[in-house]
């Protein structure tokens, strides 16, 4: 390829918003020459590579905006430490069919069993698949909505929790809510109903949500919309966080 043609292609690629192509056109032509590619094969190579670069860029941008506390995957989850948890149920969720159907997923269990890890891993998978994601604890969401309501910007702030294809709501039940706060949560759940997926984690059983939301009727209304299309996974096992702390204590006791 002549330098003049190469320069023209780089300029055109830049104008079309294809910076990766502009930077790598010589590499593509080298691979095409070595592989003795026809025109269509060469075009397929260029377009496939550009799409992969764009997808990766979108994925990284999505993660940056998601507020995820970390980016753990299911491969990093130690299912052997939770023998009562069926890995197939979690891996079924990882197919994201519930996200495609705008349904929900609820992960229940005591602190430290890996609920947030799984929720984040599902969100990362959804982001990779092209869905927008957003992570928040329930307390943070309520605090932000209350502040927005006081400032007359509630509708605006609600949009932060309504727009994402997948909303992760962590730590439901760690702090009881007042009725006005619970009503804000109801607005989010109600407006997302059958329009976008929610992945939530909770240390409370659903029968205890009346205490969490300070009103049995309101809790029932929230659960009615949340559980209508919902996959529920209960994790009842030991705490990962305590695992590494208990071993030194046990060793010290053995020595003593």
């Amino acid at each position: 390829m002549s330098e003049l043609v190469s320069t023209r292609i780089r300029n055109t690629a830049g104008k079309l918003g294809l910076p990766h192509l502009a930077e790598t056109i010589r590499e593509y032509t080298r691979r095409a020459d070595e592989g003795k590619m026809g025109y269509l094969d060469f075009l397929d190579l260029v377009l496939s590579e550009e799409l992969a670069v764009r997808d990766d860029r979108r994925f990284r941008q999505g993660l940056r905006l998601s507020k995820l506390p970390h980016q753990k995957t299911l491969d990093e989850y130690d299912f052997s430490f939770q023998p009562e948890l069926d890995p197939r149920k979690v891996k079924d969720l990882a197919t994201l069919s519930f996200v495609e159907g705008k349904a929900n997923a609820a992960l229940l269990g005591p602190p430290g069993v890996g609920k947030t890890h799984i929720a984040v891993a599902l969100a990362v998978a959804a982001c990779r698949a092209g869905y927008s994601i957003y992570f928040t604890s329930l307390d943070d969401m309520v605090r932000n909505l209350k502040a927005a309501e006081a400032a007359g910007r509630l509708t605006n702030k609600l949009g932060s929790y309504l727009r994402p294809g997948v909303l992760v709501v962590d730590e439901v039940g760690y702090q009881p809510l007042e009725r006005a706060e619970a009503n804000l949560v109801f607005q989010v759940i109600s407006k997302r109903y059958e329009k976008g997926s929610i992945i939530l984690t909770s240390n409370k059983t659903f029968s205890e949500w009346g205490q969490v939301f300070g009103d049995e009727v309101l809790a029932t209304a929230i659960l009615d919309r949340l559980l209508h299309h919902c996959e529920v996974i209960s994790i009842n096992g030991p705490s990962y966080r305590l695992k590494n702390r208990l071993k030194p204590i046990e060793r010290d006791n053995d020595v003593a």
Side-chain angles (χ1 to χ4, degrees):
M1 178 185 296
S2 72
E3 185 60 37
L4 178 61
V5 173
S6 178
T7 300
R8 231 175 28 230
I9 291 176
R10 286 198 298 270
N11 289 339
T12 302
K15 291 176 182 178
L16 289 172
L18 304 172
H20 181 71
L21 174 59
E23 295 168 3
T24 56
I25 186 61
R26 285 195 173 279
E27 171 64 16
Y28 288 149
T29 54
R30 183 190 63 76
R31 289 167 61 181
D33 287 340
E34 289 179 356
K36 294 182 170 44
M37 291 182 182
Y39 297 124
L40 291 179
D41 287 335
F42 177 68
L43 183 60
D44 181 56
L45 167 68
V46 170
L47 294 178
S48 296
E49 291 281 352
E50 189 64 34
L51 180 61
V53 168
R54 285 193 171 195
D55 282 346
D56 187 64
R57 189 183 303 128
R58 176 205 50 75
F59 172 63
R60 294 181 184 280
Q61 174 75 352
L63 289 181
R64 188 180 68 81
L65 298 174
S66 69
K67 306 297 184 183
L68 288 175
H70 49 74
Q71 296 173 22
K72 292 181 179 177
T73 66
L74 287 182
D75 290 337
E76 300 171 80
Y77 188 85
D78 185 4
F79 285 98
S80 66
F81 194 68
Q82 302 294 351
E84 293 186 22
L85 174 60
D86 186 349
R88 292 172 299 181
K89 290 184 177 180
V90 179
K91 290 173 183 178
D92 281 346
L93 287 180
T95 66
L96 303 178
S97 58
F98 79 98
V99 176
E100 185 179 350
K102 296 180 173 57
N104 306 314
L107 303 163
L108 310 180
V113 295
K115 303 185 299 295
T116 301
H117 182 146
I118 294 175
V120 167
L122 293 174
V124 170
C127 185
R128 176 70 75 182
Y131 295 96
S132 55
I133 61 173
Y134 193 78
F135 178 97
T136 180
S137 69
L138 182 69
D139 288 345
D140 282 347
M141 184 174 77
V142 168
R143 182 166 53 253
N144 289 334
L145 289 174
K146 283 177 67 178
E149 186 176 39
R153 296 183 288 102
L154 180 59
T155 301
N156 240 2
K157 193 61 186 176
L158 276 171
S160 301
Y161 304 108
L162 301 180
R163 280 190 296 272
V166 177
L167 176 67
V168 181
V169 182
D170 197 31
E171 298 182 339
V172 175
Y174 281 80
Q175 294 291 336
L177 303 181
E178 298 175 359
R179 196 181 191 286
E181 296 172 331
N183 185 59
L184 292 172
V185 178
F186 173 75
Q187 289 189 56
V188 173
I189 302 294
S190 179
K191 291 177 187 297
R192 287 191 63 89
Y193 176 62
E194 295 186 332
K195 294 179 181 176
S197 295
I198 294 174
I199 302 172
L200 68 85
T201 73
S202 179
N203 66 330
K204 303 292 186 184
T205 63
F206 293 131
S207 62
E208 298 175 289
W209 276 33
Q211 302 167 25
V212 173
F213 291 99
D215 186 295
E216 291 288 348
V217 174
L218 195 51
T220 299
I222 290 172
L223 286 171
D224 180 60
R225 287 156 179 79
L226 185 72
L227 297 180
H228 185 205
H229 308 291
C230 187
E231 300 290 338
V232 180
I233 293 181
S234 295
I235 309 173
N236 297 303
S239 168
Y240 284 101
R241 286 190 288 270
L242 287 179
K243 176 178 67 170
N244 294 327
R245 296 192 63 182
L246 289 176
K247 284 181 180 178
I249 295 174
E250 290 168 354
R251 282 199 302 269
D252 292 344
N253 288 338
D254 289 341
V255 171

